[in-house]
């Protein structure tokens, strides 16, 4: 198997009489110094923080595109809002990864929420001044997208720091479940209800949620700053970015997972960008009904989070992750093949459940293969190729819908998801997964 970690320097020999450690002593192992009670409390804090922030994110990701449909009927211009929300993954993800591996990760989460509050404040000001046009929506979406890059990269890197190894599968399941349920189920549903009272009410509520999330973070215990090797040069930003890319590229399993998720994320980006137009033009849904359709994603995610252990035991990790390929294909195929609201919602359910099964397993795998001091850069590199594909999918989906129609756009992404089946089955083999350490066996 190819190396999975950045090389470490060998400590200089130290005379037996010398009590001092070698000048290049290895960093403290991930999760060390934590007892089970503290680890469980940290899991609760992370799940609570994730739930509150993703509830707010779910509302904003529904409200902003709907606000855009009131300004223009162009699919390309409406999808531009989703493009702005996800474009920062392409522009700054690698640099954010360097920050996450250098600075206090909890403080970076606070910074991200402050940025979110600034964006919400600016959008509320534009609504009150009756100037919430496309440029304002794009700018607000871009700032919220930058904050999301910082928050998700920092939160993912925190798990191995504040949760003991044997508790990470459970923590990843609940965090991923909270992300999907609140972002795709509760968020859109609540957003639909709040939009009935006005966009200002909906956005104002998200501001309250972001403040509450900042308070919750104060209860997190453990070391929030990644360990570094004493006496070892930090290196330039580009050198540190290169280290993260090498970790991803040198390990076949991590590389294949990143490539597969790139295609799947582009499908999700197109689906999320075009669904407001599907709701208004193909399905003729009210804002509340649109919230129900999007909520099916979260219902699927909740089922996935609750059953991931059972699915892994029955199908194995490989089968559980393969289910996401089929679920995503079903999600993007439904609007192309049917105008029935419940068929589209069923596809969303399949996509949500498959997404959680993939997320929990891929996060647990990477946390067992990657050093804690590299988690920020690794996650940034992996998400550059996955989450970075979402704006590309959103933009391509908008152009395809503009030129050939909505149904054709969804069919293109359905084919893309199905084309992953053969390479996935050939490269994500039982032998490759068997080389991943058991979560309870790593110090």
């Amino acid at each position: 198997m190819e190396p999975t970690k950045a090389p470490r320097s060998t400590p200089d020999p130290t005379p037996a009489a010398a009590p001092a450690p070698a000048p290049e002593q290895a960093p403290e192992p991930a999760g060390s110094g934590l007892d089970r009670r503290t680890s469980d409390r940290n899991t609760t804090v992370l799940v609570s923080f994730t739930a509150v922030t993703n509830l707010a994110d779910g509302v904003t990701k529904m409200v902003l595109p709907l606000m855009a449909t009131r300004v223009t009927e162009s699919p390309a211009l409406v999808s531009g809002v989703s493009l702005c929300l996800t474009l920062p993954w392409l522009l700054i993800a690698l640099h954010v990864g360097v920050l996450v591996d250098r600075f206090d990760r909890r403080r970076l989460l606070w910074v991200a929420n402050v940025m979110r509050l600034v964006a919400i404040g600016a959008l509320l000001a534009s609504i009150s001044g009756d100037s919430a046009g496309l440029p304002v929506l794009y700018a607000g979406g871009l700032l919220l997208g930058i904050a999301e890059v910082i928050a998700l990269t920092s939160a993912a890197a925190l798990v191995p720091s504040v949760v003991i190894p044997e508790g990470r599968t459970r923590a990843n399941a609940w965090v991923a479940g909270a992300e999907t349920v609140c972002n795709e189920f509760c968020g859109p549903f609540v957003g639909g209800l709040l939009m009935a009272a006005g966009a200002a009410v909906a956005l104002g509520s998200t501001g309250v949620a972001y403040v509450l999330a900042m308070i919750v973070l104060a209860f997190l215990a453990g070391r929030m700053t990644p360990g570094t090797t004493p006496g070892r040069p930090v290196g330039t930003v580009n050198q540190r970015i290169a280290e993260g890319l090498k970790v991803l590229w040198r390990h076949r399993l991590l590389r294949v997972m990143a490539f597969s998720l790139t295609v799947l994320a582009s499908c999700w980006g197109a689906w999320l960008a075009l669904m407001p137009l599907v709701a208004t033009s193909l399905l003729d849904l009210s804002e509340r009904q649109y919230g129900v359709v999007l909520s099916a994603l979260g219902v699927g995610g909740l089922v996935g989070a609750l059953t991931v252990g059972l699915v892994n035991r029955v199908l194995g990790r490989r089968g559980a992750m393969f289910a996401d390929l089929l679920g995503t294909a079903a999600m993007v195929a439904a609007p192309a093949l049917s105008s029935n609201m419940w068929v589209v919602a069923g596809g969303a359910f399949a996509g949500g459940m498959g997404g959680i099964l993939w997320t929990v397993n891929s996060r647990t795998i990477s946390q067992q293969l990657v050093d804690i001091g590299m988690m920020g850069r690794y996650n940034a590199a992996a998400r550059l190729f996955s989450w970075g594909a979402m704006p590309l999918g959103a933009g391509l989906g908008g152009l395809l819908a503009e030129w050939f129609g909505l149904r054709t756009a969804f069919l293109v992404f359905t084919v893309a998801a199905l084309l992953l089946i053969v390479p996935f089955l050939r490269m994500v083999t039982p032998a490759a997964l068997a080389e991943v350490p058991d979560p309870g066996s790593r110090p």
Side-chain angles (χ1 to χ4, degrees):
M1 183 175 65
E2 295 175 332
T4 62
K5 302 176 184 178
R8 294 178 179 173
S9 300
T10 303
D12 294 331
T14 304
E24 293 190 2
Q25 183 180 356
E28 185 180 351
S32 60
L34 294 175
D35 56 33
R36 181 173 294 276
R37 183 176 179 180
T38 303
S39 175
D40 289 344
R41 188 182 77 177
N42 286 340
T43 298
T44 301
V45 171
L46 286 175
V47 171
S48 300
F49 172 83
T50 301
V52 173
T53 53
N54 278 271
L55 177 65
D57 289 343
V59 173
T60 57
K61 289 179 180 180
M62 178 187 179
V63 170
L64 296 187
L66 282 179
M67 291 174 64
T69 62
R70 297 176 178 178
V71 179
T72 179
E73 295 181 356
S74 167
L77 293 178
V78 172
S79 66
V81 176
S82 295
L83 178 67
C84 290
L85 285 166
T86 52
L87 187 61
W89 285 105
L90 278 177
L91 301 180
I92 65 168
L94 294 178
H95 293 82
V96 168
V98 174
L99 291 178
V100 171
D101 283 343
R102 285 286 304 277
F103 300 106
D104 186 307
R105 290 161 176 172
R106 177 168 54 184
R107 291 184 181 178
L108 289 174
L109 289 174
W110 277 327
V111 169
N113 272 18
V114 169
M115 294 175 64
R116 286 163 162 160
L117 289 172
V118 170
I120 294 300
L123 289 167
L124 287 173
S126 68
I127 292 174
S128 64
D130 199 23
S131 58
L134 287 177
V136 174
L137 294 176
Y138 290 166
L142 191 63
L143 186 56
L144 288 170
I146 293 172
E148 183 178 56
V149 174
I150 297 172
L152 291 184
T153 306
S154 300
L158 264 177
V159 171
S161 297
V162 300
V163 178
I164 57 178
E166 54 267 33
R168 289 177 196 161
T169 298
R170 173 175 170 268
N172 287 328
W174 283 105
V175 168
E179 285 177 2
T180 302
V181 170
C182 293
N183 202 314
E184 311 299 345
F185 174 42
C186 299
F189 181 74
V190 172
L193 296 177
L194 293 174
M195 275 296 284
V201 173
L203 292 176
S205 300
T206 65
V208 175
Y210 291 136
V211 171
L212 178 61
M214 296 172 71
I215 297 173
V216 169
L217 276 180
F219 295 93
L220 201 62
R223 188 177 64 187
M224 312 301 167
T225 304
T228 58
T229 303
R232 186 176 181 180
V234 171
T236 65
V237 170
N238 288 338
Q239 288 172 339
R240 291 174 67 80
I241 287 175
E243 289 177 353
L245 290 170
K246 286 177 182 177
V247 169
L248 174 62
W249 184 253
R250 288 176 177 174
H251 195 284
R252 182 183 181 185
L253 182 57
L254 297 178
R255 186 170 67 243
V256 170
M257 289 195 309
F259 169 77
S260 300
L261 194 53
T262 298
V263 178
L264 296 174
S266 68
C267 296
W268 278 71
W271 192 89
L272 291 169
L274 297 177
M275 275 307 296
L277 290 168
V278 171
T280 55
S281 61
L282 292 183
L283 304 183
D284 193 25
L285 303 180
S286 67
E287 292 173 345
R288 185 171 299 181
Q289 289 174 319
Y290 174 53
V292 170
V293 171
L294 289 188
S295 297
L297 279 173
V299 176
L302 176 60
V303 173
L306 293 175
T307 62
V308 62
L310 175 62
V311 173
N312 281 355
R313 287 192 295 273
V314 174
L315 301 180
R317 280 180 174 172
R318 185 175 185 238
M321 297 174 75
F322 179 72
D324 187 33
L325 274 62
L326 301 181
T328 299
M331 181 182 72
V332 291
L337 303 177
S338 176
S339 297
N340 184 289
M341 167 184 166
W342 298 109
V343 172
V344 175
F349 175 88
M353 182 173 180
I356 284 294
L357 295 176
W358 179 287
T359 298
V360 173
N361 283 290
S362 63
R363 286 184 184 179
T364 304
I365 289 170
S366 65
Q367 288 165 8
Q368 295 308 115
L369 294 176
V370 181
D371 279 341
I372 186 173
M374 291 292 300
M375 283 302 299
R377 283 166 286 170
Y378 163 75
N379 280 312
R383 293 189 182 199
L384 172 68
F385 295 101
S386 55
W387 287 67
M390 292 188 72
L392 298 181
L396 178 59
L399 291 176
L400 289 172
E402 188 89 30
W403 295 336
F404 305 109
L406 286 168
R407 296 189 188 278
T408 300
F410 282 112
L411 282 175
V412 169
F413 285 97
T414 302
V415 172
L418 293 175
L419 287 176
L420 278 178
I421 292 177
V422 172
F424 177 87
L425 293 178
R426 290 188 62 184
M427 291 184 280
V428 183
T429 62
L433 291 172
E435 295 176 350
V436 179
D438 182 79
S441 65
R442 184 173 174 179

mmCIF file of all heavy atoms in Angstrom, residues 383-413:
data_model
loop_
_atom_site.group_PDB
_atom_site.id
_atom_site.type_symbol
_atom_site.label_atom_id
_atom_site.label_comp_id
_atom_site.label_asym_id
_atom_site.label_seq_id
_atom_site.Cartn_x
_atom_site.Cartn_y
_atom_site.Cartn_z
ATOM 1 N N ARG A 383 -12.113 18.226 -0.545
ATOM 2 C CA ARG A 383 -13.337 18.972 -0.847
ATOM 3 C C ARG A 383 -13.157 19.926 -2.016
ATOM 4 O O ARG A 383 -14.140 20.346 -2.630
ATOM 5 C CB ARG A 383 -13.805 19.724 0.401
ATOM 6 C CG ARG A 383 -14.256 18.776 1.496
ATOM 7 C CD ARG A 383 -14.926 19.494 2.633
ATOM 8 N NE ARG A 383 -15.294 18.557 3.686
ATOM 9 C CZ ARG A 383 -16.194 18.808 4.627
ATOM 10 N NH1 ARG A 383 -16.824 19.965 4.642
ATOM 11 N NH2 ARG A 383 -16.471 17.910 5.547
ATOM 12 N N LEU A 384 -11.908 20.270 -2.334
ATOM 13 C CA LEU A 384 -11.679 21.052 -3.545
ATOM 14 C C LEU A 384 -12.184 20.281 -4.755
ATOM 15 O O LEU A 384 -12.807 20.840 -5.661
ATOM 16 C CB LEU A 384 -10.186 21.347 -3.706
ATOM 17 C CG LEU A 384 -9.787 22.006 -5.033
ATOM 18 C CD1 LEU A 384 -10.334 23.429 -5.106
ATOM 19 C CD2 LEU A 384 -8.276 22.002 -5.199
ATOM 20 N N PHE A 385 -11.937 18.965 -4.763
ATOM 21 C CA PHE A 385 -12.353 18.138 -5.892
ATOM 22 C C PHE A 385 -13.801 17.666 -5.782
ATOM 23 O O PHE A 385 -14.363 17.191 -6.759
ATOM 24 C CB PHE A 385 -11.430 16.922 -6.006
ATOM 25 C CG PHE A 385 -10.022 17.281 -6.348
ATOM 26 C CD1 PHE A 385 -9.045 17.312 -5.379
ATOM 27 C CD2 PHE A 385 -9.680 17.620 -7.646
ATOM 28 C CE1 PHE A 385 -7.735 17.655 -5.693
ATOM 29 C CE2 PHE A 385 -8.378 17.968 -7.973
ATOM 30 C CZ PHE A 385 -7.408 17.985 -6.994
ATOM 31 N N SER A 386 -14.380 17.762 -4.598
ATOM 32 C CA SER A 386 -15.761 17.308 -4.430
ATOM 33 C C SER A 386 -16.704 18.492 -4.319
ATOM 34 O O SER A 386 -17.494 18.764 -5.230
ATOM 35 C CB SER A 386 -15.867 16.404 -3.204
ATOM 36 O OG SER A 386 -15.370 17.055 -2.049
ATOM 37 N N TRP A 387 -16.603 19.230 -3.202
ATOM 38 C CA TRP A 387 -17.463 20.400 -3.051
ATOM 39 C C TRP A 387 -17.167 21.459 -4.113
ATOM 40 O O TRP A 387 -18.058 22.208 -4.513
ATOM 41 C CB TRP A 387 -17.284 21.002 -1.658
ATOM 42 C CG TRP A 387 -17.905 20.179 -0.582
ATOM 43 C CD1 TRP A 387 -17.527 18.937 -0.169
ATOM 44 C CD2 TRP A 387 -19.035 20.531 0.221
ATOM 45 N NE1 TRP A 387 -18.341 18.484 0.839
ATOM 46 C CE2 TRP A 387 -19.270 19.454 1.100
ATOM 47 C CE3 TRP A 387 -19.852 21.652 0.285
ATOM 48 C CZ2 TRP A 387 -20.300 19.465 2.028
ATOM 49 C CZ3 TRP A 387 -20.877 21.667 1.213
ATOM 50 C CH2 TRP A 387 -21.092 20.582 2.065
ATOM 51 N N GLY A 388 -15.909 21.499 -4.562
ATOM 52 C CA GLY A 388 -15.583 22.436 -5.632
ATOM 53 C C GLY A 388 -16.313 22.125 -6.915
ATOM 54 O O GLY A 388 -16.465 22.989 -7.783
ATOM 55 N N ALA A 389 -16.761 20.880 -7.053
ATOM 56 C CA ALA A 389 -17.525 20.506 -8.243
ATOM 57 C C ALA A 389 -18.954 21.017 -8.188
ATOM 58 O O ALA A 389 -19.635 21.072 -9.225
ATOM 59 C CB ALA A 389 -17.525 18.985 -8.405
ATOM 60 N N MET A 390 -19.438 21.392 -7.014
ATOM 61 C CA MET A 390 -20.826 21.851 -6.907
ATOM 62 C C MET A 390 -21.086 23.125 -7.708
ATOM 63 O O MET A 390 -22.077 23.206 -8.443
ATOM 64 C CB MET A 390 -21.211 22.030 -5.446
ATOM 65 C CG MET A 390 -21.288 20.712 -4.683
ATOM 66 S SD MET A 390 -21.957 20.864 -3.022
ATOM 67 C CE MET A 390 -23.691 21.182 -3.390
ATOM 68 N N PRO A 391 -20.216 24.164 -7.624
ATOM 69 C CA PRO A 391 -20.474 25.328 -8.476
ATOM 70 C C PRO A 391 -20.355 25.007 -9.954
ATOM 71 O O PRO A 391 -21.069 25.596 -10.776
ATOM 72 C CB PRO A 391 -19.403 26.337 -8.029
ATOM 73 C CG PRO A 391 -18.347 25.534 -7.369
ATOM 74 C CD PRO A 391 -19.079 24.395 -6.727
ATOM 75 N N LEU A 392 -19.453 24.080 -10.306
ATOM 76 C CA LEU A 392 -19.351 23.692 -11.711
ATOM 77 C C LEU A 392 -20.623 22.980 -12.158
ATOM 78 O O LEU A 392 -21.131 23.221 -13.259
ATOM 79 C CB LEU A 392 -18.136 22.782 -11.911
ATOM 80 C CG LEU A 392 -16.775 23.399 -11.579
ATOM 81 C CD1 LEU A 392 -15.659 22.392 -11.838
ATOM 82 C CD2 LEU A 392 -16.548 24.669 -12.383
ATOM 83 N N GLY A 393 -21.140 22.112 -11.286
ATOM 84 C CA GLY A 393 -22.399 21.448 -11.609
ATOM 85 C C GLY A 393 -23.555 22.430 -11.697
ATOM 86 O O GLY A 393 -24.411 22.319 -12.580
ATOM 87 N N ALA A 394 -23.572 23.403 -10.767
ATOM 88 C CA ALA A 394 -24.631 24.412 -10.789
ATOM 89 C C ALA A 394 -24.568 25.238 -12.066
ATOM 90 O O ALA A 394 -25.591 25.485 -12.722
ATOM 91 C CB ALA A 394 -24.522 25.315 -9.560
ATOM 92 N N GLY A 395 -23.349 25.667 -12.423
ATOM 93 C CA GLY A 395 -23.200 26.478 -13.632
ATOM 94 C C GLY A 395 -23.518 25.697 -14.889
ATOM 95 O O GLY A 395 -24.233 26.184 -15.786
ATOM 96 N N LEU A 396 -22.990 24.461 -14.984
ATOM 97 C CA LEU A 396 -23.262 23.634 -16.166
ATOM 98 C C LEU A 396 -24.738 23.282 -16.254
ATOM 99 O O LEU A 396 -25.335 23.299 -17.342
ATOM 100 C CB LEU A 396 -22.415 22.362 -16.104
ATOM 101 C CG LEU A 396 -22.610 21.365 -17.248
ATOM 102 C CD1 LEU A 396 -22.288 22.021 -18.585
ATOM 103 C CD2 LEU A 396 -21.747 20.123 -17.040
ATOM 104 N N GLY A 397 -25.348 22.978 -15.097
ATOM 105 C CA GLY A 397 -26.771 22.675 -15.101
ATOM 106 C C GLY A 397 -27.608 23.843 -15.586
ATOM 107 O O GLY A 397 -28.560 23.665 -16.362
ATOM 108 N N GLY A 398 -27.237 25.055 -15.153
ATOM 109 C CA GLY A 398 -27.962 26.240 -15.604
ATOM 110 C C GLY A 398 -27.843 26.449 -17.099
ATOM 111 O O GLY A 398 -28.826 26.778 -17.782
ATOM 112 N N LEU A 399 -26.631 26.250 -17.645
ATOM 113 C CA LEU A 399 -26.436 26.432 -19.087
ATOM 114 C C LEU A 399 -27.182 25.366 -19.888
ATOM 115 O O LEU A 399 -27.804 25.674 -20.907
ATOM 116 C CB LEU A 399 -24.940 26.385 -19.411
ATOM 117 C CG LEU A 399 -24.106 27.568 -18.891
ATOM 118 C CD1 LEU A 399 -22.633 27.346 -19.192
ATOM 119 C CD2 LEU A 399 -24.586 28.881 -19.522
ATOM 120 N N LEU A 400 -27.103 24.115 -19.439
ATOM 121 C CA LEU A 400 -27.823 23.046 -20.146
ATOM 122 C C LEU A 400 -29.332 23.290 -20.131
ATOM 123 O O LEU A 400 -30.019 23.059 -21.139
ATOM 124 C CB LEU A 400 -27.510 21.694 -19.497
ATOM 125 C CG LEU A 400 -26.096 21.144 -19.718
ATOM 126 C CD1 LEU A 400 -25.865 19.894 -18.869
ATOM 127 C CD2 LEU A 400 -25.866 20.829 -21.192
ATOM 128 N N ALA A 401 -29.833 23.758 -18.990
ATOM 129 C CA ALA A 401 -31.272 24.047 -18.901
ATOM 130 C C ALA A 401 -31.653 25.221 -19.794
ATOM 131 O O ALA A 401 -32.729 25.234 -20.410
ATOM 132 C CB ALA A 401 -31.654 24.333 -17.450
ATOM 133 N N GLU A 402 -30.765 26.208 -19.870
ATOM 134 C CA GLU A 402 -31.019 27.382 -20.709
ATOM 135 C C GLU A 402 -31.071 26.984 -22.183
ATOM 136 O O GLU A 402 -31.914 27.461 -22.949
ATOM 137 C CB GLU A 402 -29.919 28.418 -20.485
ATOM 138 C CG GLU A 402 -30.150 29.757 -21.155
ATOM 139 C CD GLU A 402 -30.920 30.727 -20.280
ATOM 140 O OE1 GLU A 402 -30.816 30.663 -19.047
ATOM 141 O OE2 GLU A 402 -31.639 31.565 -20.868
ATOM 142 N N TRP A 403 -30.145 26.121 -22.615
ATOM 143 C CA TRP A 403 -30.026 25.768 -24.032
ATOM 144 C C TRP A 403 -30.969 24.637 -24.448
ATOM 145 O O TRP A 403 -31.531 24.662 -25.543
ATOM 146 C CB TRP A 403 -28.587 25.335 -24.331
ATOM 147 C CG TRP A 403 -27.577 26.428 -24.157
ATOM 148 C CD1 TRP A 403 -27.804 27.781 -24.222
ATOM 149 C CD2 TRP A 403 -26.183 26.272 -23.859
ATOM 150 N NE1 TRP A 403 -26.640 28.481 -23.992
ATOM 151 C CE2 TRP A 403 -25.626 27.583 -23.769
ATOM 152 C CE3 TRP A 403 -25.356 25.179 -23.661
ATOM 153 C CZ2 TRP A 403 -24.275 27.798 -23.489
ATOM 154 C CZ3 TRP A 403 -24.010 25.391 -23.388
ATOM 155 C CH2 TRP A 403 -23.480 26.680 -23.311
ATOM 156 N N PHE A 404 -31.125 23.614 -23.580
ATOM 157 C CA PHE A 404 -31.840 22.399 -23.999
ATOM 158 C C PHE A 404 -33.060 22.070 -23.146
ATOM 159 O O PHE A 404 -33.797 21.136 -23.474
ATOM 160 C CB PHE A 404 -30.886 21.196 -23.964
ATOM 161 C CG PHE A 404 -29.640 21.397 -24.779
ATOM 162 C CD1 PHE A 404 -28.411 21.569 -24.147
ATOM 163 C CD2 PHE A 404 -29.682 21.431 -26.160
ATOM 164 C CE1 PHE A 404 -27.253 21.761 -24.878
ATOM 165 C CE2 PHE A 404 -28.534 21.625 -26.905
ATOM 166 C CZ PHE A 404 -27.312 21.792 -26.263
ATOM 167 N N GLY A 405 -33.273 22.804 -22.059
ATOM 168 C CA GLY A 405 -34.416 22.548 -21.202
ATOM 169 C C GLY A 405 -34.025 21.838 -19.911
ATOM 170 O O GLY A 405 -32.969 21.198 -19.814
ATOM 171 N N LEU A 406 -34.899 21.951 -18.911
ATOM 172 C CA LEU A 406 -34.609 21.401 -17.592
ATOM 173 C C LEU A 406 -34.467 19.883 -17.607
ATOM 174 O O LEU A 406 -33.556 19.319 -16.982
ATOM 175 C CB LEU A 406 -35.718 21.808 -16.615
ATOM 176 C CG LEU A 406 -35.727 23.272 -16.154
ATOM 177 C CD1 LEU A 406 -37.030 23.593 -15.435
ATOM 178 C CD2 LEU A 406 -34.544 23.528 -15.226
ATOM 179 N N ARG A 407 -35.337 19.197 -18.297
ATOM 180 C CA ARG A 407 -35.313 17.733 -18.270
ATOM 181 C C ARG A 407 -34.023 17.190 -18.883
ATOM 182 O O ARG A 407 -33.431 16.220 -18.373
ATOM 183 C CB ARG A 407 -36.531 17.167 -18.985
ATOM 184 C CG ARG A 407 -37.849 17.518 -18.311
ATOM 185 C CD ARG A 407 -39.015 16.748 -18.925
ATOM 186 N NE ARG A 407 -40.291 17.218 -18.415
ATOM 187 C CZ ARG A 407 -40.828 16.838 -17.260
ATOM 188 N NH1 ARG A 407 -40.179 15.977 -16.489
ATOM 189 N NH2 ARG A 407 -42.001 17.308 -16.866
ATOM 190 N N THR A 408 -33.579 17.790 -19.968
ATOM 191 C CA THR A 408 -32.334 17.343 -20.592
ATOM 192 C C THR A 408 -31.157 17.541 -19.655
ATOM 193 O O THR A 408 -30.263 16.681 -19.560
ATOM 194 C CB THR A 408 -32.096 18.111 -21.901
ATOM 195 O OG1 THR A 408 -33.187 17.872 -22.791
ATOM 196 C CG2 THR A 408 -30.791 17.678 -22.557
ATOM 197 N N ALA A 409 -31.135 18.659 -18.947
ATOM 198 C CA ALA A 409 -30.052 18.912 -18.001
ATOM 199 C C ALA A 409 -29.988 17.821 -16.939
ATOM 200 O O ALA A 409 -28.901 17.303 -16.615
ATOM 201 C CB ALA A 409 -30.245 20.279 -17.352
ATOM 202 N N PHE A 410 -31.127 17.429 -16.397
ATOM 203 C CA PHE A 410 -31.139 16.380 -15.371
ATOM 204 C C PHE A 410 -30.731 15.026 -15.947
ATOM 205 O O PHE A 410 -30.068 14.231 -15.268
ATOM 206 C CB PHE A 410 -32.525 16.294 -14.730
ATOM 207 C CG PHE A 410 -32.784 17.374 -13.721
ATOM 208 C CD1 PHE A 410 -33.721 18.369 -13.969
ATOM 209 C CD2 PHE A 410 -32.096 17.403 -12.519
ATOM 210 C CE1 PHE A 410 -33.966 19.366 -13.036
ATOM 211 C CE2 PHE A 410 -32.333 18.400 -11.581
ATOM 212 C CZ PHE A 410 -33.269 19.387 -11.831
ATOM 213 N N LEU A 411 -31.094 14.746 -17.197
ATOM 214 C CA LEU A 411 -30.696 13.478 -17.810
ATOM 215 C C LEU A 411 -29.184 13.386 -17.968
ATOM 216 O O LEU A 411 -28.585 12.308 -17.778
ATOM 217 C CB LEU A 411 -31.381 13.319 -19.173
ATOM 218 C CG LEU A 411 -32.851 12.896 -19.150
ATOM 219 C CD1 LEU A 411 -33.418 12.907 -20.556
ATOM 220 C CD2 LEU A 411 -32.999 11.504 -18.533
ATOM 221 N N VAL A 412 -28.536 14.493 -18.319
ATOM 222 C CA VAL A 412 -27.075 14.499 -18.462
ATOM 223 C C VAL A 412 -26.412 14.113 -17.154
ATOM 224 O O VAL A 412 -25.476 13.293 -17.117
ATOM 225 C CB VAL A 412 -26.594 15.879 -18.945
ATOM 226 C CG1 VAL A 412 -25.068 15.988 -18.836
ATOM 227 C CG2 VAL A 412 -27.041 16.138 -20.376
ATOM 228 N N PHE A 413 -26.880 14.676 -16.039
ATOM 229 C CA PHE A 413 -26.264 14.377 -14.746
ATOM 230 C C PHE A 413 -26.633 12.971 -14.263
ATOM 231 O O PHE A 413 -25.872 12.354 -13.516
ATOM 232 C CB PHE A 413 -26.655 15.438 -13.730
ATOM 233 C CG PHE A 413 -25.930 16.736 -13.940
ATOM 234 C CD1 PHE A 413 -26.523 17.774 -14.642
ATOM 235 C CD2 PHE A 413 -24.637 16.905 -13.462
ATOM 236 C CE1 PHE A 413 -25.850 18.960 -14.853
ATOM 237 C CE2 PHE A 413 -23.959 18.085 -13.668
ATOM 238 C CZ PHE A 413 -24.559 19.119 -14.371
#
